[in-house]
Amino acid sequence: AFPSECPCVRYNRGMETLIAFGVPEQEAQGYLEMAGGNPEVAVNLFLSMSGGGGGGGAGGSSQPKKDLGFDIPDWYSSVWPEIETIPDAWLKQGMNFDEKVHLGIVQPKNGPCGVLAAVQAVMISQCRKKQNFSEKYKPSAEDLGSAITAILIQGTYDEKGQSSPAKICTWGSKGVGKDVEVTETKTEKDLYEVVMKNIKQFQDPGGCVLLVYSATLTRGVEQIKKDIVSEGGEAGYALTIKAHGHWLCTSELVSLLIRGKAGGNVGAFSQIGGAPHDWNMRLGVGLLTADEFKTGTVVCDKLKSPSSPVWLLHGGDHFTTLWANGDCSESKGATIQLFHWNGLPPGGPRLSEIKVKATFGVAPKAPRKKVDTYFKPRPGEIDSVVQAHPEDKKARPDMYDTWRYEVMLAVDDPSVKGAERPKDLPPEPTFEQGPEPQGAWRCRTCYAQRFKTMHFKENPAGTTKCIGPCGKDRKEAGWSIWLPFKDLPQTQKSIIHRREAPKIKNILWTKWPGAEITYNDDKAFNGLPPSA
C-alpha cells in the first residue's frame, strides 16, 4: 500500500535536504547527480567531502596518536570517529532508569541513543516473560545485568557457532573515559557474575561507553572489520560517526548490540549482488526504520517481525524503543496496543501509548528477489505532486488529507526511463488536462526540466506563452492541475503521507500498512505525536 517514491520525488526530497544543510542549489544538484539521484547517498557525499564526518572514522591505528591523559589502545579508533576526548554526551550517559517511567532510560544529550535503545529493547524482551510485567514495571539491577550479559554473549559466537571468551571492560585507576581494565570470562554464568559485580559502573556515567567497549572487544576488532565489509560497508570505518557536531551510533554498532555482528545492512537484500538477506536474531528484538519509506529499502523479515514484539525505531538520526506488553495479532482489523519510549529532549523523556488498528493486517514478507517499484507513467497519469494549496495549509494546518494538491500529469517522454507496468498490476488512473487556467500557471515542460534549468517560477496570470526556458505556447507546453486529496490515486496519497504525516506513523506503516494510528494526548507535549 506504500510503494517506493518515483525518482522525481526522491530527487526533489534530496534537493530539499541538501538545501536545508545550507548547500547552494547548483551544488546540491551536483551531489545528487554524483549519487545517481539517491538523496541519502548525496547527503553522505556532502558530509564526507565537506569534512562533516558522514562516513565514520578510519578505524584501526592509522590516525596519529594524541595525548588524552592515558595510553590510547589500538582499538580506540575502531570505536570512535576521532582520536579525541569522548564527548560528555557519552561520558555522562549511564544506564539508570527514569524515576517516573521506570522502563525508560533518560538521554540528556544526542549521541548514544542506539546503545540505549538496544539495551532497553533487549531488557524489555526478557522482562515481558514475567507475569507482573507492564509499562509500569520497575527493572532491577539484575534485569539490567541479564540484558548486558545477553548482548555480550551473542558476540562470542563466530559464523560456525564456535564461541570465544567474552570481555568485560571497567574503568581503570585514571577514571571514567580514560584507561580500562579488561576481564575475560568463558561461560555465560561467569560473564553474568562479572557484570553484576561491576553493575554500578554500567549504571553510572560512562556505563554506556563500557558496554560499547565490552561488545567491541568481545567480538574482536578484526572480526568487526570483516562484519562491516561483508554487508556492504567500508573497511576501517568506526562504530560511531561524527555528524552535525555529535558522535552518533552507526547501524553497525546497533547491529553489534542486538545480534552480535557488526553488519549494517538492515535490508532484505544483500548490497553486494542483491541476494536475499536476513538477520540471525538470538535476542528476538526487531527494528523498523524511516529508511524504508524514504528510500524503499525493504527491512529484512527477522527485524520487521521479531519473535518478541519489541522494536528499535530508527527515525533517521535517532533511535527510540517500541513494544507491546502482550502478543501482537497479525489478523486484519486487529487492534494492537503499543508503548513508545523516547528519552531525548525535546521530544522526551516521554512514554506514549499508541493504538494501531491494523485494517490491512501486517506487511507481507520481503520478496525473494528485488522487484521494480517504479514504472514509467502513461500519459495522463500523475507524474508528481508539486505542492499543497497554501490556503488549505493555512486554514487546516494539521489536516493534510483535506488539502488540495497541485499535480503534474505525465506525457510521453522518451528520456524518462522505467520498467513497464506488469499486466497483472492494476493500472494507475489517468486524468484530463482540463480547461486552460485563468490565473497564474505552472509550465509542465519547464517543471520537468527544473533541476537542469533551475527554473521554478509560475507564469503570471494573463500569459499564454511560457516565460521560462521552453518558451512554448501554453497548449503545447501543458500546465499543472489541482486535485483534492480524496481524488488522488493511492500511490500519490502514499507519497503525501510520507511528506506530511508524523514520522512515527510512517515508520509504523512499514509494519502495519494503511493502519489507523492513534496516540494518547500527553498534556506535557501539547498533544503532539510521539517523536521518533
Side-chain angles (χ1 to χ4, degrees):
F2 292 85
S4 303
E5 294 169 304
C6 65
C8 58
V9 173
R10 294 183 68 194
Y11 198 96
N12 206 356
R13 179 166 57 80
M15 288 291 291
E16 292 171 356
T17 304
L18 287 164
I19 289 170
F21 275 107
V23 184
E25 287 186 349
Q26 287 188 326
E27 188 176 337
Q29 183 181 2
Y31 281 117
L32 277 161
E33 288 176 354
M34 284 189 286
N38 186 305
E40 283 65 38
V41 174
V43 171
N44 286 335
L45 280 171
F46 161 68
L47 290 172
S48 60
M49 294 173 72
S50 63
S61 56
S62 60
Q63 297 190 47
K65 293 287 185 180
K66 292 185 179 182
D67 184 6
L68 301 183
F70 62 98
D71 292 332
I72 301 171
D74 289 339
W75 47 263
Y76 193 87
S77 58
S78 293
V79 175
W80 306 116
E82 296 178 329
I83 304 294
E84 298 289 351
T85 301
I86 304 167
D88 282 351
W90 288 83
L91 281 187
K92 293 185 177 181
Q93 182 67 62
M95 288 185 279
N96 266 321
F97 292 90
D98 187 48
E99 293 181 0
K100 295 181 179 179
V101 181
H102 302 307
L103 276 173
I105 304 175
V106 176
Q107 180 190 349
K109 293 185 178 181
N110 196 16
C113 55
V115 178
L116 303 180
V119 171
Q120 186 187 24
V122 171
M123 191 195 70
I124 288 174
S125 178
Q126 295 177 331
C127 291
R128 284 183 70 258
K129 301 169 185 176
K130 300 183 178 183
Q131 287 187 344
N132 64 335
F133 180 80
S134 75
E135 72 280 6
K136 297 179 181 179
Y137 180 81
K138 188 172 183 178
S140 64
E142 289 76 16
D143 290 331
L144 177 61
S146 294
I148 292 172
T149 300
I151 287 170
L152 295 179
I153 201 69
Q154 62 179 346
T156 64
Y157 295 98
D158 61 19
E159 299 301 322
K160 297 180 180 179
Q162 302 296 317
S163 64
S164 56
K167 298 180 180 180
I168 303 92
C169 294
T170 52
W171 297 120
S173 59
K174 295 186 178 181
V176 174
K178 299 187 183 298
D179 61 319
V180 296
E181 296 177 355
V182 182
T183 303
E184 285 194 3
T185 62
K186 293 184 177 180
T187 68
E188 187 170 351
K189 179 175 178 292
D190 291 343
L191 172 59
Y192 175 74
E193 289 177 356
V194 174
V195 169
M196 289 307 301
K197 180 181 177 182
N198 296 282
I199 195 66
K200 193 75 167 58
Q201 285 208 31
F202 287 100
Q203 292 173 319
D204 287 348
C208 185
V209 174
L210 287 179
L211 176 59
V212 174
Y213 284 175
S214 300
T216 300
L217 297 188
T218 295
R219 183 66 174 168
V221 170
E222 292 306 314
Q223 184 58 52
I224 285 175
K225 290 178 181 178
K226 293 177 183 177
D227 291 345
I228 292 172
V229 172
S230 71
E231 296 195 3
E234 294 192 30
Y237 275 11
L239 293 172
T240 55
I241 62 172
K242 184 176 181 181
H244 323 306
H246 302 282
W247 290 12
L248 307 177
C249 302
T250 61
S251 56
E252 285 81 5
L253 174 55
V254 172
S255 172
L256 176 64
L257 298 177
I258 65 173
R259 69 159 168 165
K261 178 181 178 180
N265 179 17
V266 302
F269 301 99
S270 170
Q271 295 182 3
I272 304 171
H277 170 261
D278 210 344
W279 282 27
N280 181 16
M281 299 298 294
R282 294 184 177 89
L283 301 182
V285 301
L287 180 144
L288 303 175
T289 174
D291 287 345
E292 179 155 353
F293 71 83
K294 287 180 177 180
T295 69
T297 300
V298 179
V299 169
C300 63
D301 293 334
K302 294 287 179 60
L303 287 179
K304 188 170 287 187
S305 300
S307 58
S308 183
V310 183
W311 296 266
L312 284 75
L313 296 193
H314 178 226
D317 54 5
H318 185 44
F319 288 93
T320 54
T321 314
L322 178 81
W323 73 92
N325 291 341
D327 295 331
C328 282
S329 171
E330 297 196 347
S331 302
K332 290 183 179 180
T335 298
I336 302 152
Q337 183 186 46
L338 301 168
F339 293 91
H340 175 258
W341 172 256
N342 178 12
L344 178 68
R350 180 181 181 182
L351 177 68
S352 301
E353 180 184 355
I354 300 174
K355 289 188 177 178
V356 173
K357 184 176 181 182
T359 310
F360 305 104
V362 298
K365 288 188 175 183
R368 301 310 298 163
K369 64 179 182 178
K370 286 187 176 182
V371 295
D372 290 313
T373 54
Y374 173 72
F375 307 108
K376 182 175 178 176
R378 297 173 301 152
E381 289 182 16
I382 294 178
D383 187 42
S384 63
V385 177
V386 179
Q387 64 171 338
H389 201 292
E391 292 179 3
D392 295 351
K393 292 183 71 173
K394 184 177 181 180
R396 301 180 299 280
D398 297 324
M399 302 173 67
Y400 67 89
D401 56 353
T402 69
W403 299 345
R404 291 165 290 172
Y405 290 87
E406 183 183 9
V407 301
M408 284 290 181
L409 301 181
V411 295
D412 187 11
D413 185 351
S415 67
V416 174
K417 305 298 181 184
E420 292 295 327
R421 192 176 192 85
K423 293 181 179 179
D424 60 348
L425 193 64
E428 288 284 296
T430 57
F431 298 83
E432 295 295 330
Q433 180 72 84
E436 295 186 47
Q438 298 300 309
W441 58 283
R442 196 182 307 276
C443 173
R444 182 173 62 188
T445 302
C446 288
Y447 185 80
Q449 302 295 319
R450 62 196 179 282
F451 292 123
K452 293 181 180 179
T453 64
M454 303 311 293
H455 179 80
F456 298 90
K457 295 181 179 180
E458 288 184 305
N459 292 287
T463 56
T464 58
K465 187 174 183 178
C466 180
I467 62 172
C470 81
K472 294 180 178 180
D473 289 336
R474 184 163 58 191
K475 287 185 177 180
E476 180 185 2
W479 55 89
S480 60
I481 63 173
W482 291 88
L483 293 172
F485 180 87
K486 65 180 181 61
D487 291 347
L488 296 174
Q490 184 59 49
T491 304
Q492 303 303 325
K493 286 181 178 178
S494 300
I495 291 171
I496 292 171
H497 280 310
R498 290 195 288 267
R499 267 192 210 174
E500 305 291 348
K503 185 187 291 183
I504 194 163
K505 283 191 174 183
N506 274 303
I507 295 174
L508 295 179
W509 279 329
T510 66
K511 168 67 179 176
W512 296 280
E516 295 178 24
I517 299 171
T518 56
Y519 28 81
N520 61 340
D521 186 358
D522 192 323
K523 293 181 181 179
F525 291 90
N526 299 316
L528 293 173
S531 174

